[in-house]
Amino acid sequence: MAFEALTEKFSKVIKKIKGESNLTEKNMDEMLKEVRIALLEADVNYKVVKDFVNNVKEKALGEKVFDKLNPSEMVVKIVRDELVNLLGSDSCELVYNKNKPTIILLVGLQGSGKTTTAGKLALLMKSKLNKKVLLAACDVYRPAAIDQLDQIAKQINVPLINMGTNVNPVDIALKAKEEAYNDHYDVLIIDTAGRLQIDETLMTELKNIKGKVNPDEILLLTDAMAGQDSVNVAKKFNEDLKLTGAIMSKMDGDSRGGAALSIAHVTGVPIKFIGTGEKLSDLDIFHPDRMAERILGMGDVLTLIDKVSENIDEKEAKKSVKKMVEGNFTLDDMLKQMKQVQKLGSLGGLLKLIPGMPKINDAQLGAAEKEMKNFEVIINSMTPEERAHPEILKNSRKVRIANGSGKTNADVNKVLKKYDQMKLMMKQMKGKNGKFNMPNMSGFGGKFPY
Amino acid sequence: MGLFKFLKEKFSKKTSETQEIKVETKEEKKEKESLEKYDKGLEKSRKNFSNKLEELAKRYKNANQDYFEELEEILIEADCGVSFTINTIENLLEYTKEKNIDNPKEINELLVDRMFLNYLKEGEDIKNELTFDHKPVILLMTGVNGVGKTTTIAKLAKRYINQGKKVMLVAADTFRAGAKEQLTIWADRLSIPIVTGNDNEDPASVAYKGTKKGIDECFDLVIVDTAGRLQNKKNLMEELRKIYNVVTKLSGINPECFLVIDATTGQNGVLQAKAFKELINITGIVITKMDGTSKGGIILAIREELGIPVRFIGLGEKDSDLEEFDLDKYLYGLCSSLIKDE
């Protein structure tokens, strides 16, 4: 995740002053130096860092609660509050018009992820908010950009206004607006070509589109990997178009994403969504407070819970819990559970949201994901009877399954062992509480004992 | 000889001389055009970097602590990276103290000199252009998402077609929607053959098909496009390794592997280079979108940390704006306002 490294830095800093009982100007300065370097390395704009560090210092020294909190706690609190401040203090959701289509214009530099995000936004609105969505392809310059959006639109089953590349983008946008009004769409998402903020011709084109379709939202796509210059990009786009928000793409990379923080600070434009993966469902609403806590290593449990409740099929989950409790847990159920977990997105992304799990490295994660795939292949090579009654699996059956799935006997045994562990764990949990509080999460502990 | 003086003699004088003679050889004309491209493509960076240095030198009569702090600020704002900046400034502080230098102008020159010292030392023998010692040269284009791989491929293809080479393309990005179509449009525009696969086909198998065709039909250059991948995605990186291995095994030689980096990238650029370098033998870096940013410091940061040379640099949107990287021209473009002052 983007802010992971920043988190590490902060915890190092905090460790450094943990032993000291008083917050003095001297240890404060030392800590702030570390904070400054951490933020700069995270690509937060130089000027923003200056402001940030000064603010923190002022607040910390003016604070009167010295005796209640130890220095590290207090600094964490101040840094957190300031970070929330920097990120915008409220989560900014889109506002939808009641009686007419809400028009969203996506703008940004080349390669910032506009077209992919257009598809992600459309899917999010369609599937989570039940909106009737229309897409418009206004990138007539990049070869095959329209093809790309066309393929995405088909994948998510959303209609697309595609007039080819020999039409003025302003006309396409206008036509799309008409269509959106005539056919009573809830949302129209307009994808535009990437452009440099210094390209006056193309910036004028955007102004014209804005003038003609009068969008409710103009969202700037920002790459989470962007450097110091991103502030100037955002500034210019904001000056020309009056942005209503930003979307940060490629947050699943290992960039620290600091530049995007400074954009929010310098232009006052809130970040509304973040792109968290390559799948079209990988778009999340941006929560500044959660993000600040993630930076500070408190994890992002809220996001995880949201993810779980959205993606887990509740009926399915209840059924399997009931089965578990009754002791009828089968290999099929185990597979189903695994698939439920997979629906949440990559394991790596998920585990990183859980506080207290920072020690898993990518190699281990990769191994866990590979193991999950192996399990699926092996279980799929079993007969329904074998899956329902794993106890009948004796050597000859195991050999057959191993051959059938292209795995070894040992791999098959591993699956069975995991199954036994899970079953045992469920019995124990049942014994303890009598019921399951978070049945979905139990899958984690059972399958991935790190 | 001071760096600025060296650059001035190399470029400024040359331009005036050629103007006097009026009859320019083709070579000289090309050279001049190339310098102009650098000058134009680095306009934004120059404004941000050397104009700031210049302005700083005007404000301070003698360099003091504040002066160095402001220098540090300028470097960091150019995306040179925190460690690079701190090291360079400390080094400069020591040197100037020892030699009793406090003239800001002199210090600025020393700074630029120092910034590029490492680059020069290691960069002496590097040939940026592809060499066609054997047929075909396989060129693997890699990078994270949205850096401009496909567009750069088109520009490179054009460059070598113009040099009379037989070039073909391979669309091994079978993942992103529209990627294959994008490259096909370029192949059509350039009238060169392209090998494509089905959506979600194993990219290594497409790369295999393409390489085989390149060998069988005696192409000079086979450029393989790969899907954008973030360097922390283990599976996708493994996929790239597989493509690399397949191509290497089939052709019997190590392919040229270019890592394409967006000039607007911040410190993550270094991590990208590191991760890709660990995985496959990256033989060069292509910096794209240089004209769009005022912060090209990432070139230095990568060179400092990893020693991979920049081979080509994108200085504008036209196909002809992809230039072979030349440090002297780069420096001249970045500092010409300081140099002309000399």
Side-chain angles (χ1 to χ4, degrees):
Chain A
M1 284 282 161
F3 296 102
E4 203 172 49
L6 199 54
T7 312
E8 273 168 34
K9 288 265 169 183
F10 275 128
S11 36
K12 234 184 249 162
V13 172
I14 288 157
K15 233 181 235 159
K16 223 173 172 178
I17 60 161
K18 214 165 203 166
E20 309 196 20
S21 54
N22 283 317
L23 193 62
T24 61
E25 184 150 7
K26 195 175 156 261
N27 59 23
M28 187 75 203
D29 274 346
E30 191 183 344
M31 214 207 77
L32 289 179
K33 198 179 141 204
E34 294 285 330
V35 171
R36 178 174 167 269
I37 290 177
L39 289 171
L40 284 174
E41 281 185 340
D43 288 322
V44 179
N45 183 270
Y46 199 89
K47 293 188 180 86
V48 179
V49 173
K50 250 188 182 168
D51 285 356
F52 182 84
V53 171
N54 285 341
N55 280 343
V56 170
K57 189 173 177 183
E58 240 169 64
K59 289 213 171 118
L61 292 175
E63 214 52 70
K64 281 175 191 153
V65 280
F66 275 27
D67 42 330
K68 281 193 183 159
L69 296 165
N70 68 35
S72 68
E73 278 170 353
M74 215 186 74
V75 172
V76 170
K77 185 185 168 296
I78 297 166
V79 171
R80 179 201 173 274
D81 291 352
E82 277 308 298
L83 272 175
V84 174
N85 238 345
L86 187 73
L87 290 159
S89 44
D90 243 315
S91 87
C92 298
E93 298 194 22
L94 298 180
V95 183
Y96 297 93
N97 295 331
K98 283 229 167 85
N99 301 315
K100 56 176 189 175
T102 304
I103 301 177
I104 299 171
L105 187 65
L106 296 180
V107 300
L109 298 178
Q110 289 97 336
S112 53
K114 284 173 298 303
T115 308
T116 307
T117 306
K120 286 180 175 181
L121 261 184
L123 179 65
L124 181 123
M125 288 166 181
K126 188 185 150 193
S127 63
K128 280 192 204 165
L129 306 169
N130 275 325
K131 301 279 178 197
K132 190 178 167 194
V133 186
L134 179 68
L135 281 164
C138 290
D139 182 356
V140 298
Y141 306 105
R142 179 165 63 93
I146 294 183
D147 267 333
Q148 183 184 356
L149 193 58
D150 186 53
Q151 287 177 27
I152 290 172
K154 281 187 183 128
Q155 273 177 43
I156 58 175
N157 215 355
V158 165
L160 170 75
I161 300 294
N162 173 357
M163 295 165 69
T165 55
N166 288 324
V167 190
N168 187 329
V170 183
D171 296 335
I172 303 175
L174 206 56
K175 174 89 201 305
K177 183 187 177 183
E178 269 169 35
E179 197 110 333
Y181 271 86
N182 291 342
D183 290 348
H184 304 289
Y185 279 94
D186 297 317
V187 183
L188 165 65
I189 301 171
I190 303 173
D191 179 31
T192 63
R195 65 204 72 214
L196 293 174
Q197 77 278 13
I198 47 167
D199 187 332
E200 286 304 331
T201 324
L202 285 180
M203 289 306 280
T204 308
E205 179 194 286
L206 276 185
K207 283 186 216 165
N208 290 341
I209 293 179
K210 185 192 171 186
K212 282 273 158 60
V213 302
N214 200 14
D216 301 282
E217 294 275 356
I218 303 177
L219 302 177
L220 176 74
L221 261 293
T222 330
D223 192 319
M225 294 178 282
Q228 295 278 329
D229 206 31
S230 54
V231 165
N232 301 332
V233 175
K235 240 187 205 159
K236 179 76 165 87
F237 270 95
N238 194 29
E239 273 165 23
D240 283 5
L241 299 165
K242 286 237 158 31
L243 300 172
T244 63
I247 301 179
M248 218 190 294
S249 63
K250 306 177 206 172
M251 284 280 286
D252 48 329
D254 58 5
S255 66
R256 306 187 195 164
L261 304 188
S262 26
I263 289 172
H265 179 78
V266 170
T267 64
V269 167
I271 297 160
K272 299 202 170 180
F273 296 96
I274 52 174
T276 56
E278 298 211 355
K279 275 185 253 153
L280 285 170
S281 56
D282 292 334
L283 185 74
D284 286 342
I285 289 172
F286 179 78
H287 296 280
D289 48 340
R290 294 182 191 183
M291 192 61 87
E293 277 167 21
R294 186 150 100 199
I295 293 170
L296 289 171
M298 299 176 187
D300 195 358
V301 184
L302 288 175
T303 301
L304 181 65
I305 291 171
D306 273 4
K307 267 192 167 213
V308 171
S309 49
E310 244 164 52
N311 286 286
I312 295 285
D313 182 341
E314 216 172 299
K315 254 193 209 156
E316 199 60 54
K318 271 193 187 143
K319 226 162 96 191
S320 76
V321 171
K322 200 171 159 240
K323 275 181 141 180
M324 284 182 231
V325 176
E326 287 164 359
N328 293 331
F329 186 64
T330 67
L331 277 169
D332 261 332
D333 297 325
M334 182 163 120
L335 190 62
K336 263 185 213 151
Q337 265 220 344
M338 275 165 48
K339 284 195 172 150
Q340 293 266 22
V341 174
Q342 265 172 340
K343 263 202 263 173
L344 297 175
S346 82
L347 256 186
L350 275 178
L351 289 179
K352 281 174 187 172
L353 295 175
I354 306 174
M357 299 199 91
K359 286 202 182 109
I360 298 158
N361 62 30
D362 282 354
Q364 284 171 310
L365 277 176
E369 270 172 35
K370 210 167 155 194
E371 189 175 50
M372 230 152 120
K373 249 185 212 149
N374 273 351
F375 279 19
E376 193 179 341
V377 171
I378 290 168
I379 295 175
N380 281 339
S381 300
M382 297 177 183
T383 65
E385 201 200 345
E386 286 164 349
R387 280 183 242 172
H389 304 285
E391 59 278 4
I392 66 172
L393 285 168
K394 294 288 174 293
N395 196 41
S396 67
R397 284 184 194 259
K398 283 184 196 167
V399 171
R400 195 206 76 239
I401 293 164
N403 286 338
S405 57
K407 306 285 169 201
T408 64
N409 246 5
D411 290 331
V412 179
N413 281 332
K414 228 192 235 168
V415 175
L416 294 175
K417 202 173 158 202
K418 220 24 92 65
Y419 166 77
D420 285 339
Q421 277 177 357
M422 256 176 110
K423 215 172 161 183
L424 186 71
M425 197 189 67
M426 282 169 192
K427 257 189 203 155
Q428 285 169 342
M429 282 179 79
K430 190 186 161 199
K432 260 186 214 157
N433 323 340
K435 66 172 192 172
F436 288 79
N437 289 331
M438 268 190 89
N440 313 318
M441 299 302 297
S442 63
F444 275 114
K447 277 188 302 280
F448 312 105
Y450 293 109
Chain B
M1 175 166 46
L3 175 73
F4 287 171
K5 206 172 162 204
F6 164 76
L7 289 172
K8 191 177 179 180
E9 281 194 0
K10 185 163 176 188
F11 296 116
S12 317
K13 226 168 109 192
K14 203 182 215 169
T15 12
S16 60
E17 260 173 23
T18 43
Q19 272 162 3
E20 272 167 37
I21 300 165
K22 267 182 195 162
V23 192
E24 294 173 351
T25 64
K26 210 175 162 193
E27 199 97 306
E28 277 169 336
K29 199 180 158 211
K30 228 174 116 190
E31 196 53 27
K32 211 179 129 193
E33 274 173 11
S34 157
L35 191 65
E36 275 164 13
K37 272 181 210 160
Y38 271 92
D39 208 48
K40 202 157 169 278
L42 291 169
E43 204 182 326
K44 281 193 78 193
S45 299
R46 180 166 57 246
K47 269 191 198 147
N48 214 299
F49 180 72
S50 53
N51 291 13
K52 270 192 190 161
L53 283 184
E54 203 183 350
E55 187 253 348
L56 191 62
K58 273 183 196 149
R59 264 195 294 126
Y60 286 84
K61 226 173 168 182
N62 303 313
N64 53 18
Q65 185 64 31
D66 288 349
Y67 187 83
F68 282 97
E69 256 171 42
E70 289 202 47
L71 272 188
E72 185 186 283
E73 201 167 315
I74 292 172
L75 289 193
I76 283 179
E77 278 207 290
D79 275 332
C80 288
V82 178
S83 61
F84 176 87
T85 302
I86 291 176
N87 290 342
T88 310
I89 296 288
E90 270 175 12
N91 183 297
L92 192 64
L93 253 172
E94 245 169 61
Y95 183 82
T96 49
K97 221 177 198 174
E98 197 185 306
K99 303 259 167 189
N100 260 332
I101 302 173
D102 68 348
N103 176 347
K105 266 195 177 172
E106 209 172 321
I107 290 175
N108 285 352
E109 180 162 355
L110 281 170
L111 170 75
V112 179
D113 202 14
R114 237 142 259 263
M115 279 170 70
F116 292 91
L117 204 63
N118 286 341
Y119 204 110
L120 276 171
K121 242 192 323 200
E122 294 172 49
E124 273 165 354
D125 290 334
I126 286 159
K127 185 130 176 38
N128 290 329
E129 281 276 7
L130 295 175
T131 42
F132 293 88
D133 304 335
H134 46 74
K135 257 189 193 183
V137 171
I138 315 281
L139 172 58
L140 220 52
M141 298 294 280
T142 65
V144 300
N145 315 61
V147 289
K149 279 181 295 302
T150 310
T151 311
T152 305
I153 287 173
K155 289 180 179 175
L156 279 173
K158 179 113 191 259
R159 180 184 191 90
Y160 290 106
I161 291 168
N162 287 346
Q163 293 181 13
K165 303 290 180 207
K166 194 175 162 195
V167 183
M168 62 168 279
L169 305 180
V170 182
D173 179 357
T174 54
F175 178 77
R176 180 173 67 90
K180 179 174 69 182
E181 288 79 2
Q182 188 179 350
L183 199 64
T184 306
I185 291 174
W186 279 115
D188 290 346
R189 283 187 195 167
L190 297 164
S191 310
I192 53 175
I194 179 169
V195 171
T196 59
N198 299 320
D199 289 345
N200 292 322
E201 183 176 341
D202 184 350
S205 109
V206 183
Y208 181 91
K209 271 190 280 182
T211 310
K212 184 140 197 331
K213 184 182 161 86
I215 295 169
D216 291 347
E217 298 178 21
C218 291
F219 277 87
D220 294 309
L221 176 61
V222 179
I223 309 181
V224 183
D225 187 19
T226 64
R229 63 201 76 228
L230 296 175
Q231 69 276 16
N232 60 340
K233 299 276 170 88
K234 201 169 162 280
N235 291 345
L236 293 179
M237 292 302 271
E238 281 306 316
E239 179 191 279
L240 181 63
R241 194 209 298 272
K242 188 173 167 193
I243 297 174
Y244 178 86
N245 289 343
V246 161
V247 167
T248 310
K249 205 169 165 195
L250 183 62
S251 65
I253 34 160
N254 287 339
E256 287 270 8
C257 294
F258 283 3
L259 175 67
V260 184
I261 292 182
D262 185 331
T264 57
T265 305
Q267 297 315 302
N268 197 245
V270 178
L271 295 182
Q272 288 169 22
K274 225 179 233 167
F276 278 88
K277 193 190 170 195
E278 268 168 27
L279 187 82
I280 58 176
N281 180 25
I282 297 290
T283 57
I285 282 170
V286 181
I287 300 279
T288 57
K289 312 183 197 173
M290 195 62 221
D291 53 322
T293 177
S294 50
K295 330 271 180 181
I298 196 67
I299 288 185
L300 296 173
I302 291 171
R303 182 69 182 181
E304 156 113 347
E305 297 216 19
L306 298 155
I308 308 173
V310 177
R311 305 274 294 261
F312 292 93
I313 180 165
L315 296 164
E317 300 215 350
K318 281 178 274 142
D319 336 330
S320 54
D321 289 336
L322 186 74
E323 278 282 311
E324 182 187 344
F325 183 72
D326 180 311
L327 183 71
D328 290 346
K329 284 182 200 157
Y330 179 80
L331 275 177
Y332 182 78
L334 194 63
C335 304
S336 61
S337 59
L338 293 173
I339 294 167
K340 280 165 190 160
D341 264 11
E342 277 268 303

